[in-house]
Amino acid sequence: MCRRDPFAASRSSPTLIRCSGGTAEHKVPNLFAKILASRQYVAVRPNFRGVGGSEGTHDFGNGETLDVLLVIEHLRPIYPALPLVLAGFSFGAYVIARTAGVLHEQGVNCTHIVLAGTPWGTIEGQRTYETPPVPSTTMAIHGERDQRVELKAVFDWARPQGLPIVVVPNASHFFTGKLAVLERLVGAYLDHSP
């Protein structure tokens, strides 16, 4: 389930990251790992259940959240002094938001949380997401022309939290042609303490 990212830095790295998306090979989680590794983070990008040759079957975020928590539990003794950063894209953003909530209840601090293409409400032809609230220091990024998750839905999720949403003009759900913008936004966020 867990593998070292090809961009991962050494054990002396200052920070630990858990990136997620449906598949570890998708361009957005891959970009997150690249951004983080360039800043000496240790990046881990496991595939979710039943994706990319991994075992198990899709569990609508329940088992996937437990899997992420197990990955974190496994890595914390290896990197005990390192801060924890979480990043997720699409379904992975939903899982990361759920994971952040559990970690908060456990008293575990996440120094940075990045969510991109976060689902909320009913996604046409798919399912309904009840993405939980996240810390106010979370960076939530969304494409203006996201064809899977309407911008209005993301604002409906963020508004009660008072959470700002960074909107990338003309960006699709997959940030096609906008990866450089996404890279600048996430990099700037990571370079500053929230």
Side-chain angles (χ1 to χ4, degrees):
M1 179 176 87
C2 176
R3 69 179 179 86
R4 283 293 296 264
D5 184 85
F7 301 110
S10 72
R11 275 188 153 198
S12 62
S13 302
T15 310
L16 171 69
I17 176 66
R18 163 54 179 96
C19 279
S20 101
T23 171
E25 303 308 320
H26 188 277
K27 65 184 178 182
V28 175
N30 193 37
L31 177 67
F32 287 167
K34 180 181 171 187
I35 295 164
L36 292 154
S38 73
R39 287 164 173 77
Q40 302 305 305
Y41 289 72
V42 174
V44 179
R45 297 179 299 138
N47 286 317
F48 283 136
R49 294 171 175 219
V51 177
S54 66
E55 294 181 8
T57 57
H58 179 70
D59 193 27
F60 302 98
N62 299 312
E64 291 83 355
T65 300
L66 292 173
D67 292 345
V68 172
L69 291 166
L70 287 171
V71 169
I72 293 168
E73 183 180 313
H74 172 77
L75 293 173
R76 296 308 282 173
I78 298 169
Y79 303 98
L82 302 183
L84 177 65
V85 175
L86 301 174
F89 165 67
S90 195
F91 175 71
Y94 170 71
V95 171
I96 290 300
R98 290 172 51 109
T99 300
V102 172
L103 292 172
H104 176 75
E105 290 173 6
Q106 295 174 349
V108 176
N109 181 43
C110 298
T111 59
H112 293 81
I113 300 172
V114 177
L115 305 176
T118 308
W120 168 256
T122 301
I123 308 302
E124 188 176 330
Q126 294 186 25
R127 59 174 279 208
T128 299
Y129 290 87
E130 292 187 26
T131 306
V134 293
S136 62
T137 56
T138 299
M139 171 171 254
I141 307 168
H142 209 78
E144 177 187 27
R145 300 188 187 280
D146 189 316
Q147 65 279 27
R148 295 194 177 209
V149 183
E150 291 184 22
L151 188 56
K152 177 192 177 311
V154 175
F155 278 112
D156 289 346
W157 168 71
R159 191 174 296 109
Q161 304 175 62
L163 183 69
I165 300 294
V166 178
V167 178
V168 178
N170 294 316
S172 69
H173 182 71
F174 299 105
F175 295 91
T176 302
K178 303 295 182 181
L179 292 179
V181 175
L182 189 60
E183 184 172 8
R184 285 194 310 272
L185 290 169
V186 174
Y189 170 70
L190 293 171
D191 291 342
H192 296 88
S193 296

